Each structure stands twice: as structure tokens, then as C-alpha cells.
Amino acid sequence: MRCLSLMTILGFFQISFAQNPIIQTKYTADPAPMVYKDTVYLYTSHDEDDAFGFKMKDWLLYTSTDMVNWTDHGVVASLKDFKWVNTDNGAWAPQVVERKGKFYMYCPMPNNMGIGVLVADSPYGPFTDPIGKPLIKNSLDDIDPTVLIDDDGQAYLYWGNPNLWYAKLNEDMISLAGPITKDPSFAKVKDQPDPFKYQEGPWAWKRNGIYYMAYASKCCPEGIGYAMAKSPTGPWNYGGVIMDGDQRSSGNHPGIIDFKGKSYVFGFNHMLRMQTMSKHYERRSVSVTEITYNADGTIQKLPFWTTDGAKRVGTLDPYKKVEAETMAYSEGLKTEMVTEWERNQPYNRGKKITDRVIVTSINNGDYIKIQGVDFSKGVKSLDVNVASLYGGKIEVRSDALNGPLLGVVNVTGKGEGDLYKTINTPLKSVKGIHDLYFVFKGEKDLFYFDWWKFN
């Protein structure tokens, strides 16, 4: 039998265990997935890199059409979008829903300031505050909003920690259509057993005529429990546990969708932080896995988040311009939104040329993995758009971190971090569907990476 080298084994390891957490370039939490047309829009809260406790200033957006490759779109909204909010820390768990071509983002505020709402004409924003005040200001429980639009068009807003509250929304989605109600099914009764063990983070949805409410349960650590009902306002019956809590993550926050014939649960853990830090910090990472419903509508229990994530449900077209921040997995990299102006004069910048989300912190040995790239037309060359810092190389490999070498892109020049250039490099041809690896080589900070395209 032929012996495999250690590098080959490591390459296979990357193929098998390269998904969760699905975002590696930032710390993300409180996933709020939304399916719109053929795309999953994943809105998340954002733990800052230096967070000890909750240090959260804005909300991020990632998109995917195949459940494995996620494109970073940067900050989509922040606490600064609410003029009535007097803090820059506390951008907690949001949710975005679409109605009649508009997109509504429901955002909880810290310090008992309530729940606000933003609206946009696009899922990418820009989001603005249409009412200039809290939509909900009811109690100390006013966090973690979730929205369900029923088949008859009636929308319901739910929220709360440690109680579950709800109210009907008007068709405009920015005003209430009825009273605020504490849900009696989830109410905690002194000296009585609590089968629901509801804590926070509700997520409401409807499937096959059954209403569901998933939530973070039994603090701490928190698992994911769920309840079922025949009405959007209950009474709710305890359904069971989707996932038990685990000491590897103190919290949890479910987000559940159906996409391309499969069902998924999103949540978070501390897997990314634990790669480098042994003590607990609030630096979380979003993960996803497929869920299975039983014939009676109940949900099969899952193990705590593993490194295996969702299976691919599509392919990626490499012959169109692909943003470099589109990744199935990466190591050592960060992403950043930068603005390019007509002039580099702080008091007279001129017109804005463009906003770019770019890959940064590129050093020797770092890499990007993209899954399921469809090379049906073969390959002649590769275009990459980069801005060189100290310069370096990009090894282009297929199928594994040390897989077949298709070619090497030489990024020459130094001190050009604000000048983006397109480099064309001939490559060996490859056909069929393959995983693609960009492996970075060189010394110091190599370059910024904006986009790529195969020819």
C-alpha cells in the first residue's frame, strides 16, 4: 500500500473538516438568516477582536447561494443609525425580514432603551430609522426580537429575556397593531417545574402548518430548545431539545431556515476563539448544521456544534468576478471595508470612488478555501486584483491545501497598498468541480486581496 505523506494527510484533513465555524475572519454571534430569492442573507452581531465582555458596535452581513461559501459584505448597520441611542456598545441580536420589497431590521438596544427598527430597499442596505424612537419599550426583557409573517399576512414580533413577549405588527412593519402580551406558556411560576427552560434568543417560524419557537435554553451553558403550537400566539407545547448546552460555549442563539429543500439551524460557539485563547472572552463564532424533522413535526436532536458544517447545495462560477472575501474556510486572515476617495486630502477628499471589502492580514502560510468551483470550461489563466504591501506569491491549488499546483501568482512591488492592480497569470487547465485553495507565501504583510476571476 502506498504511504501518504504528512502534508497529504493534512490536506485531506482540511477537506473533511473545513466548515464550522463558517466565518473565520471576524468574531460573529446571534445569527439571523433570511432566505430571499436564491440567496441566504446571514445577518450577525459582531464581537470586537479585543472584547472581554460584550463589546458589540455594529451588525454584519454575509451571503451564500450554496451554504458553504460565504461572502463578507461588511457592516450593514450600527448603533449610530439610531439617533436616540446614547451608546456605541450593545448592538445585540437582530433579525431582518422582507415584506413587499422592503427589508426591516429589528434591533435590541442596551441599557433598557428598547427595540428599534430600520428599513431598507435592499437586503444590503443602506438601513435607516423610519420612526426615530423605540418600536418596543416595555420592560427590562426587551431584547432578542424575532418576526413571523403568517400566511394571512399578519406579522408578529416576539422578544424577551427571561420572559417571552409578543405583539402584532401593522402592515407597515414599523408600528404595533395590538397590545403587548407576556406569553403564558413560557411564564415561569415560582416553585413549579419549568419544562420549557426558556432563557432568551427566540426564533419563530412556520412549517407545514405548525408554528415553532426555538430559543436559547437553560442558562448556563445554553442549549437550543423549541416549542410547537397550532397558533402563532400559542398555547405552546414543549417540543424538546435541538442541541444540549456545552461548556465550550456559555450562550447560544438559534436561527432556522429552509433552503433548497433542506433545513438548517444556525447558532454560535467559541471554536474560533479557542484556537488561540484558553480563558473565556466574549469572542464568538457562528456555525450551522442541517436539521431533520420527524413525521410528526418534531426535530431530531443534534450533537453540540462539530467542525462539520452544512453540505454544499450548489456550485461556484469562477468565470465571473468573485470577491476574495468569499470563503468556505480560511486561516490567519481578516476582512475590512475600505473607502477609496478621489484625493487623499483629509479636508478635501473629493468624490468617493468606491467601497471595497478586502482580505487583509495576509501572511506566509495563510490560505483561502473555496468549495465546489465548477471549472466546466477549463482554465487558461487567472486574474487577481491586489494592492501590494511587501509583495508575495499566491499558490493556486485544487482539492487540498497541498493539492495539485495549477500555478503561482507573483505579486511584485512594495509600498503600493493603496494602488489596486489586476495581475494575469497563466495556469494549468483543470476541468470538473473542485475545491480551490489560494495559499499565500512570502515575508511580512504581503498584500491586500480584492477579487479574482478565471479565464
Side-chain angles (χ1 to χ4, degrees):
M1 186 173 100
R2 183 170 63 91
C3 293
L4 295 177
S5 70
L6 176 60
M7 286 304 294
T8 301
I9 293 171
L10 289 175
F12 289 148
F13 181 85
Q14 293 295 342
I15 290 177
S16 300
F17 303 98
Q19 188 59 41
N20 278 333
I22 59 175
I23 309 300
Q24 309 86 40
T25 56
K26 292 186 176 77
Y27 292 110
T28 55
D30 305 321
M34 177 187 71
V35 177
Y36 180 65
K37 296 184 178 179
D38 64 347
T39 300
V40 177
Y41 293 83
L42 176 63
Y43 300 87
T44 76
S45 61
H46 170 214
D47 295 326
E48 297 292 335
D49 286 355
D50 61 350
F52 283 83
F54 295 107
K55 187 177 182 182
M56 308 162 70
K57 299 184 176 184
D58 46 39
W59 295 280
L60 309 179
L61 171 61
Y62 301 85
T63 60
S64 179
T65 58
D66 56 20
M67 291 301 297
V68 293
N69 298 303
W70 294 91
T71 302
D72 186 345
H73 297 276
V75 175
V76 71
S78 77
L79 291 171
K80 295 178 181 179
D81 294 313
F82 296 95
K83 303 305 181 186
W84 47 273
V85 171
N86 59 7
T87 179
D88 66 351
N89 183 21
W92 296 339
Q95 186 177 354
V96 176
V97 296
E98 180 270 340
R99 184 163 195 167
K100 295 183 178 180
K102 288 188 177 292
F103 300 86
Y104 300 89
M105 174 180 276
Y106 299 87
C107 305
M109 299 300 154
N111 305 328
N112 195 29
M113 283 187 284
I115 296 172
V117 59
L118 302 174
V119 65
D121 294 325
S122 163
Y124 302 99
F127 285 89
T128 58
D129 183 354
I131 60 176
K133 61 181 181 180
L135 173 62
I136 299 293
K137 189 169 176 56
N138 176 62
S139 74
L140 293 174
D141 296 349
D142 294 344
I143 67 168
D144 296 351
T146 183
V147 173
L148 167 71
I149 303 177
D150 207 352
D151 298 335
D152 62 2
Q154 179 61 60
Y156 298 83
L157 174 66
Y158 310 84
W159 70 93
N161 171 347
N163 298 290
L164 181 69
W165 300 78
Y166 69 87
K168 291 182 178 180
L169 292 172
N170 284 315
E171 190 173 349
D172 64 10
M173 301 296 286
I174 59 173
S175 61
L176 301 186
I180 293 174
T181 302
K182 181 189 289 188
D183 194 294
S185 298
F186 292 87
K188 295 171 175 59
V189 181
K190 186 178 181 180
D191 299 327
Q192 295 293 319
D194 179 15
F196 290 84
K197 295 181 174 60
Y198 172 86
Q199 183 67 29
E200 59 183 342
W203 184 272
W205 78 104
K206 185 179 183 181
R207 185 179 185 274
N208 294 339
I210 300 174
Y211 297 87
Y212 291 86
M213 185 70 67
Y215 51 89
S217 61
K218 192 184 178 181
C219 186
C220 287
E222 291 177 340
I224 299 176
Y226 72 99
M228 305 163 67
K230 296 179 181 179
S231 160
T233 57
W236 297 91
N237 296 305
Y238 180 64
V241 174
I242 298 176
M243 181 182 295
D244 284 328
D246 189 281
Q247 291 297 333
R248 287 170 288 179
S249 181
S250 59
N252 224 320
H253 193 291
I256 296 175
I257 57 169
D258 289 342
F259 183 64
K260 294 188 176 181
K262 297 180 181 293
S263 299
Y264 302 93
V265 57
F266 293 75
F268 64 76
N269 53 35
H270 285 253
M271 289 168 64
L272 185 64
R273 186 266 304 167
M274 291 171 68
Q275 291 176 6
T276 56
M277 296 291 184
S278 62
K279 297 179 182 178
H280 179 84
Y281 307 84
E282 288 299 341
R283 303 174 193 175
R284 295 160 291 177
S285 45
V286 166
S287 292
V288 65
T289 191
E290 191 174 341
I291 58 174
T292 302
Y293 292 88
N294 298 312
D296 63 356
T298 57
I299 301 171
Q300 294 183 13
K301 187 177 178 180
L302 294 165
F304 187 74
W305 303 111
T306 66
T307 50
D308 292 322
K311 294 182 180 178
R312 179 170 55 82
V313 294
T315 57
L316 186 141
D317 182 356
Y319 308 110
K320 297 179 180 179
K321 187 173 77 171
V322 179
E323 298 298 327
E325 59 277 8
T326 300
M327 308 174 183
Y329 203 78
S330 68
E331 187 165 307
L333 306 174
K334 306 295 288 184
T335 54
E336 182 180 348
M337 179 178 283
V338 296
T339 300
E340 188 174 348
W341 297 92
E342 187 178 17
R343 291 181 293 273
N344 285 342
Q345 298 175 10
Y347 301 105
N348 186 19
R349 295 181 296 184
K351 296 180 180 179
K352 184 169 74 172
I353 297 175
T354 187
D355 286 323
R356 302 175 188 261
V357 179
I358 58 173
V359 179
T360 66
S361 299
I362 301 175
N363 292 278
N364 186 60
D366 296 342
Y367 70 88
I368 295 172
K369 174 186 176 181
I370 305 99
Q371 281 192 23
V373 181
D374 186 359
F375 292 107
S376 57
K377 301 177 184 178
V379 169
K380 289 184 178 180
S381 66
L382 170 68
D383 291 334
V384 300
N385 188 256
V386 295
S388 181
L389 298 172
Y390 288 92
K393 299 179 183 295
I394 306 174
E395 293 181 354
V396 184
R397 296 183 178 271
S398 64
D399 299 319
L401 188 58
N402 67 317
L405 182 65
L406 304 182
V408 178
V409 179
N410 289 300
V411 181
T412 59
K414 293 183 179 180
E416 299 176 351
D418 51 357
L419 299 175
Y420 286 85
K421 298 179 180 180
T422 300
I423 301 171
N424 178 267
T425 302
L427 297 180
K428 295 178 183 178
S429 189
V430 61
K431 280 200 170 185
I433 298 173
H434 296 268
D435 290 348
L436 175 67
Y437 287 78
F438 294 125
V439 185
F440 305 109
K441 301 292 183 179
E443 297 180 359
K444 300 183 180 180
D445 287 332
L446 306 186
F447 41 79
Y448 299 139
F449 193 3
D450 190 12
W451 57 263
W452 56 268
K453 176 179 176 291
F454 281 82
N455 305 298

